[in-house]
């Protein structure tokens, strides 16, 4: 009933996307319920209060743990929802889920919820579910700790999925929008995995270092979360806050355009020292390289970016030369191992800012936050 009445948030932008479980896994969960096997506890956080149609105060919950199980129950007992694109156009119509690959109740294979005998429907409706509710007043740091502790087995949440959970609504949709831009997909050559919000982590790293500066950096998880706290506040401010959001979105896209125009397929790729380039050479997008290059280019003046675009051949040669030194202090090593250590973070910014200073003549201010 809560799912039907939209009192539980099952938005794919919260946590990880739904639909990670295959139909077989969903069917076997329903089978477990029919067999009377107890389900693990569900955890919810109170999202907001609202008044229903008859004037009663009610609560909307967000899922902390149990999203895939709830989606399986929804898909079978309520129906799989329609899937829409960003414009609101339906791309996959609502579907009726049918059971498949049942292990013990094989006679139910192919049946929908409505086709079950009434006794089995009642069995599902009478299943005891244990729900632990996290109060609305619980500090964010405590909620984050709960997320981490609950998701230690099975298919654990990534830290970026946890951050999305903590900042949805708020900064989370902003990250998602930036990760879905064509220039992000082009510049990363569609190689950044999106299903576990890996693409959003790339954007999050840009935001953190671009907005806060390196001086505040002490550790990656807290640093990324701090930047989202800032964006959360801006989302609430329809005037000045929205303008700042628009500004960093534009800076992000412009940085990607410039880097892609100059470096092409080598953008954000950790080149092997003295590598001989061939068309068949595999390349992976390096998270640390993405972060430091996008931040540095975004913090350049437009005049410097124009100079950089005008000397693309020299810029590509200088880029390749950055990876010749594979010692501990060379960029190749700085973006390969212990990339989150404070000293290593500062070193990579020094190396890359020196690269841009040599080409454009401009000193990048990368240490301090933009709004200090």
């Amino acid at each position: 009933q809560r799912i039907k009445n939209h009192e539980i948030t099952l938005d794919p932008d919260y946590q990880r996307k739904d639909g990670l479980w295959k139909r077989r896994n969903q069917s076997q969960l329903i089978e477990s319920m029919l067999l009377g096997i107890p389900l693990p506890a569900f955890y919810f956080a109170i999202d907001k209060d609202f008044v229903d149609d008859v004037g009663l105060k009610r609560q909307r919950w967000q899922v902390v743990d149990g999203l895939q199980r709830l989606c399986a129950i929804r898909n079978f007992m309520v129906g799989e929802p329609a899937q829409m694109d960003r414009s609101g156009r339906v791309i996959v119509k609502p579907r009726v889920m049918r059971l498949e690959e049942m292990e013990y109740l094989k006679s139910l294979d192919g049946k929908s919820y409505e086709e079950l005998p009434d006794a089995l429907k009642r069995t599902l409706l009478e299943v005891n579910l244990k729900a632990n509710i996290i109060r609305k007043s619980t500090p964010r740091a405590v909620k984050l700790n709960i997320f981490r502790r609950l998701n230690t087995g099975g298919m654990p949440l990534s830290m970026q999925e946890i951050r999305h959970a903590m900042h949805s609504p708020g900064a989370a949709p902003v990250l998602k929008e930036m990760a879905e831009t064509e220039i992000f997909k082009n510049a990363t050559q569609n190689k950044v995995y999106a299903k576990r919000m890996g693409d959003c982590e790339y954007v999050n790293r840009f935001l953190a270092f671009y907005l806060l500066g390196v001086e505040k950096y002490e550790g990656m998880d807290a640093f990324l979360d701090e930047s989202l706290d800032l964006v959360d506040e801006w989302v609430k401010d329809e005037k000045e806050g929205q303008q700042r959001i628009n500004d960093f979105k534009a800076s992000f896209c412009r940085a990607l355009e410039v880097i892609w125009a100059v470096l092409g397929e080598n953008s954000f790729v950790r080149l092997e020292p003295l590598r001989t380039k061939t068309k068949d050479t595999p390349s992976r997008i390096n998270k640390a390289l993405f972060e430091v290059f996008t931040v540095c280019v975004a913090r350049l003046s437009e005049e410097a970016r124009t100079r950089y675009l005008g000397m693309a051949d020299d810029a590509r040669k200088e880029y390749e030369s950055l990876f010749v030194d594979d010692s501990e202090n060379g960029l190749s090593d700085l973006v390969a191992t212990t990339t989150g250590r404070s000293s290593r973070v500062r070193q990579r910014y020094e190396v890359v800012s020196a690269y841009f200073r040599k080409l454009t003549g401009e000193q990048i201010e990368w240490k301090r936050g933009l709004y200090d």
Side-chain angles (χ1 to χ4, degrees), residues 151-211:
N151 291 279
T152 56
M155 186 180 280
L157 295 176
S158 70
M159 282 306 300
Q160 192 60 42
E161 289 173 317
I162 292 173
R163 279 189 286 273
H164 259 61
M166 303 300 293
H167 297 275
S168 180
V174 176
L175 288 187
K176 195 66 177 171
E177 181 182 344
M178 294 169 71
E180 290 176 348
T181 58
E182 284 303 312
I183 186 57
F184 175 82
K185 293 177 181 179
N186 290 338
T188 57
Q189 303 172 64
N190 289 305
K191 294 179 179 178
V192 176
Y193 187 48
K195 197 164 188 178
R196 299 297 304 274
M197 295 184 182
D199 54 348
C200 290
E201 183 177 352
Y202 278 67
V203 178
N204 199 165
R205 287 175 71 132
F206 164 80
L207 277 182
F209 287 96
Y210 176 66
L211 295 175

Side-chain angles (χ1 to χ4, degrees), residues 258 262 296-297 299-311 314-315 318 352-364:
V258 170
V262 173
C296 284
V297 173
R299 286 204 169 201
L300 282 172
S301 67
E302 185 57 33
E303 292 76 14
R305 286 193 287 260
T306 301
R307 288 196 294 274
Y308 183 64
L309 284 166
M311 52 198 317
D314 290 338
E318 288 293 334
V352 174
S353 62
Y355 161 82
F356 283 106
R357 183 170 65 251
K358 181 177 182 179
L359 290 164
T360 69
E362 183 170 296
Q363 176 65 49
I364 300 171

Side-chain angles (χ1 to χ4, degrees), residues 309-325:
L309 284 166
M311 52 198 317
D313 289 340
D314 290 338
R316 282 191 287 270
K317 290 177 183 177
E318 288 293 334
Y319 182 75
E320 292 175 10
S321 72
L322 291 175
F323 299 92
V324 172
D325 180 5

Side-chain angles (χ1 to χ4, degrees), residues 24-44:
R24 175 178 178 272
N25 302 112
Q26 297 181 57
S27 297
Q28 290 190 354
L29 177 83
I30 302 300
E31 184 178 43
S32 295
M33 295 168 66
L34 290 170
L35 292 171
I37 298 173
L39 299 187
F42 293 84
Y43 284 76
F44 301 94

